[in-house]
Amino acid sequence: MAERLTPREIMEKLVSFPTVSRDTNIPLIDWVAEYLDSHGIESHRYIDPEQPKHALFAHVGPWEEGAVVLSGHTDVVPVDGQPWDTDPFSVVEKDGKYFGRGTCDMKGFDALALWALVEGKYSDLKQPLQIALSFDEEIGCTGAPPMIEAMQPVLPKGRAAIIGEPSLMQAVTGHKGGIGFDTHVVGFEVHSSILHRGVNAIMAAAKLIEWANTINSENMEDKPSAIAAMFDPPFTTLHVGMIKGGTANNITAKDCWFAMDFRVVPDEDKQKWAMDYIKQVRKLEAEMQAVVPETRIEISPRFDVPGLQPEEDGVAETLVRQITGDNASHKVSYGTEAGQFQEAGYSAVICGPGSIDQAHQPNEYIEVSQFNAGHDFMKKLLARMAA
């Protein structure tokens, strides 16, 4: 009989694959497929046609609809420039914590889900269990939608999706939606002493960024709606986290690149925010072209993530609350793949071990106690599905 690895052993293996979003995740998916196959579990893949990345999904238990889907992503954020005290791609236990890139976000949950799937294979499950492992969650949740679509004709339709993002094993039933745009401001170079004859792309871009600052201030001052008040912060936010451009201090910058992102509360329209941004872009572009006609601003969609809408008597929420005993209301401002499962007809909830505070950090870790709590959750889930 093939070896049945412990959750920690599986996590150690998953973390050892440096699946930073800019790189391939295929070696990790190959290992998962081989491990599942060794236990007689057939897995299926969605293969991205444009880059070397795969998603994987599998099913155990009765071949019927109504499965509980354990959903996680396989990509992690970069470690470049972060001051790590240990090898980020090895799991190191110290002071009651497992350190390593992805231990918290979210290979810890992935390991627990894989453990549960294999254990489910050897259990007399009365209800089906599925796993779905995506890619490119960290760059805008772009890998889950085609994976979910690919699952539909291959596996019986699941009823409840548990997305294992770090939530301290609490039932999170709502999160903001997100939309983002890559923005390229194309200016016109002249010597900075005659800047009025040129168009400085960086200084033009700064006007769009200042517009975002103004909107954030206005949103902060407005009274939040009942739904917005559930979130921290209780309003839609605009954010620019990266910017580059220019060639020298004494030349008006010809190019400036930045990304404008929106985190939108669920009762507001993401597309309206997008149109507001496009309107500002075109207004600024007209001002630039009044000075030098060949200048322009190029924008392209980078991601569009639906919010997770709280469900009334949601199947996924009810299941998680029954297992965890958590009856409090939890909403988060970060985005996940939960809203994408919900849009595809699944009841969805977020519940996973670890704290989002540790995600993406140098010396990322998950508390051993949280990992064990996740293990206990999976044991209880399997017991319910076998009852």
Side-chain angles (χ1 to χ4, degrees):
M1 178 182 293
E3 183 180 9
R4 287 153 72 172
L5 300 178
T6 67
R8 176 174 173 173
E9 289 171 333
I10 298 173
M11 178 172 65
E12 289 173 343
K13 190 65 180 180
L14 297 181
V15 170
S16 73
F17 295 101
T19 53
V20 175
S21 292
R22 64 174 175 247
D23 301 322
T24 184
N25 73 332
I26 294 176
L28 181 151
I29 294 295
D30 286 344
W31 180 84
V32 170
E34 291 169 5
Y35 179 62
L36 295 180
D37 182 67
S38 73
H39 292 284
I41 300 173
E42 181 183 13
S43 62
H44 309 269
R45 302 194 193 200
Y46 166 74
I47 298 175
D48 191 298
E50 298 180 354
Q51 57 179 342
K53 295 182 181 180
H54 294 177
L56 177 144
F57 44 93
H59 177 112
V60 297
W63 193 259
E64 62 187 32
E65 294 188 352
V68 173
V69 183
L70 302 176
S71 165
H73 60 81
T74 60
D75 57 317
V76 297
V77 297
V79 299
D80 308 40
Q82 292 188 333
W84 281 76
D85 296 329
T86 62
D87 177 0
F89 298 109
S90 296
V91 175
V92 176
E93 182 178 358
K94 183 173 61 175
D95 300 326
K97 303 168 183 174
Y98 293 130
F99 291 88
R101 174 57 88 223
T103 51
C104 177
D105 185 19
M106 59 182 300
K107 291 179 177 179
F109 176 84
D110 293 347
L112 294 166
L114 285 166
W115 176 86
L117 198 75
V118 171
E119 293 302 306
K121 174 67 176 180
Y122 294 101
S123 303
D124 185 20
L125 295 183
K126 303 299 190 296
Q127 303 173 53
L129 180 67
Q130 296 177 356
I131 193 171
L133 299 177
S134 69
F135 57 86
D136 282 357
E137 190 273 348
E138 297 292 5
I139 59 173
C141 297
T142 57
M147 175 192 71
I148 296 169
E149 182 179 359
M151 290 169 63
Q152 305 313 304
V154 177
L155 302 183
K157 181 64 176 284
R159 62 187 171 94
I162 301 173
I163 289 74
E165 293 283 357
S167 71
L168 295 172
M169 296 308 300
Q170 296 171 335
V172 174
T173 58
H175 68 64
K176 292 182 178 180
I179 191 166
F181 296 91
D182 286 326
T183 306
H184 179 196
V185 182
V186 182
F188 186 80
E189 292 178 312
V190 298
H191 193 280
S192 60
S193 64
I194 52 171
L195 60 82
H196 63 293
R197 300 181 191 173
V199 174
N200 188 317
I202 293 175
M203 296 183 74
K207 294 182 179 181
L208 291 173
I209 297 171
E210 182 54 28
W211 171 77
N213 285 329
T214 300
I215 295 297
N216 283 334
S217 296
E218 292 175 353
N219 286 352
M220 190 179 302
E221 293 298 322
D222 287 344
K223 182 179 179 180
S225 67
I227 291 178
M230 299 177 181
F231 295 87
D232 181 22
F235 52 87
T236 293
T237 58
L238 286 63
H239 180 254
V240 174
M242 296 181 65
I243 187 170
K244 64 178 180 178
T247 54
N249 288 331
N250 61 350
I251 303 173
T252 58
K254 182 179 183 295
D255 296 286
C256 182
W257 295 267
F258 66 92
M260 180 70 75
D261 296 347
F262 299 77
R263 303 274 182 174
V264 183
V265 293
D267 60 343
E268 294 181 358
D269 184 357
K270 296 197 311 299
Q271 298 309 316
K272 179 183 181 301
W273 282 106
M275 294 307 297
D276 287 349
Y277 181 56
I278 293 170
K279 180 180 178 180
Q280 292 297 318
V281 166
R282 296 306 166 219
K283 177 183 176 183
L284 177 61
E285 184 179 60
E287 294 174 3
M288 294 165 52
Q289 292 176 346
V291 180
V292 180
E294 58 263 40
T295 58
R296 64 190 186 277
I297 303 176
E298 302 169 350
I299 58 173
S300 57
R302 190 160 57 90
F303 66 88
D304 187 349
V305 181
L308 174 62
Q309 303 287 343
E311 302 171 1
E312 185 174 350
D313 299 323
V315 174
E317 175 187 353
T318 300
L319 174 63
V320 167
R321 291 194 187 283
Q322 288 173 343
I323 294 175
T324 63
D326 173 31
N327 290 315
S329 176
H330 305 286
K331 309 292 187 296
V332 295
S333 292
Y334 57 82
T336 78
E337 297 169 339
Q340 294 167 328
F341 273 93
Q342 193 176 62
E343 282 196 339
Y346 297 78
S347 174
V349 68
I350 301 166
C351 184
S355 168
I356 196 66
D357 292 344
Q358 274 74 59
H360 304 183
Q361 298 296 309
N363 297 321
E364 176 183 347
Y365 67 84
I366 186 171
E367 297 274 0
V368 174
S369 60
Q370 274 290 302
F371 191 68
N372 291 341
H375 192 189
D376 289 341
F377 177 93
M378 294 300 177
K379 292 176 184 177
K380 293 175 181 177
L381 174 64
L382 290 172
R384 290 179 64 89
M385 300 181 73

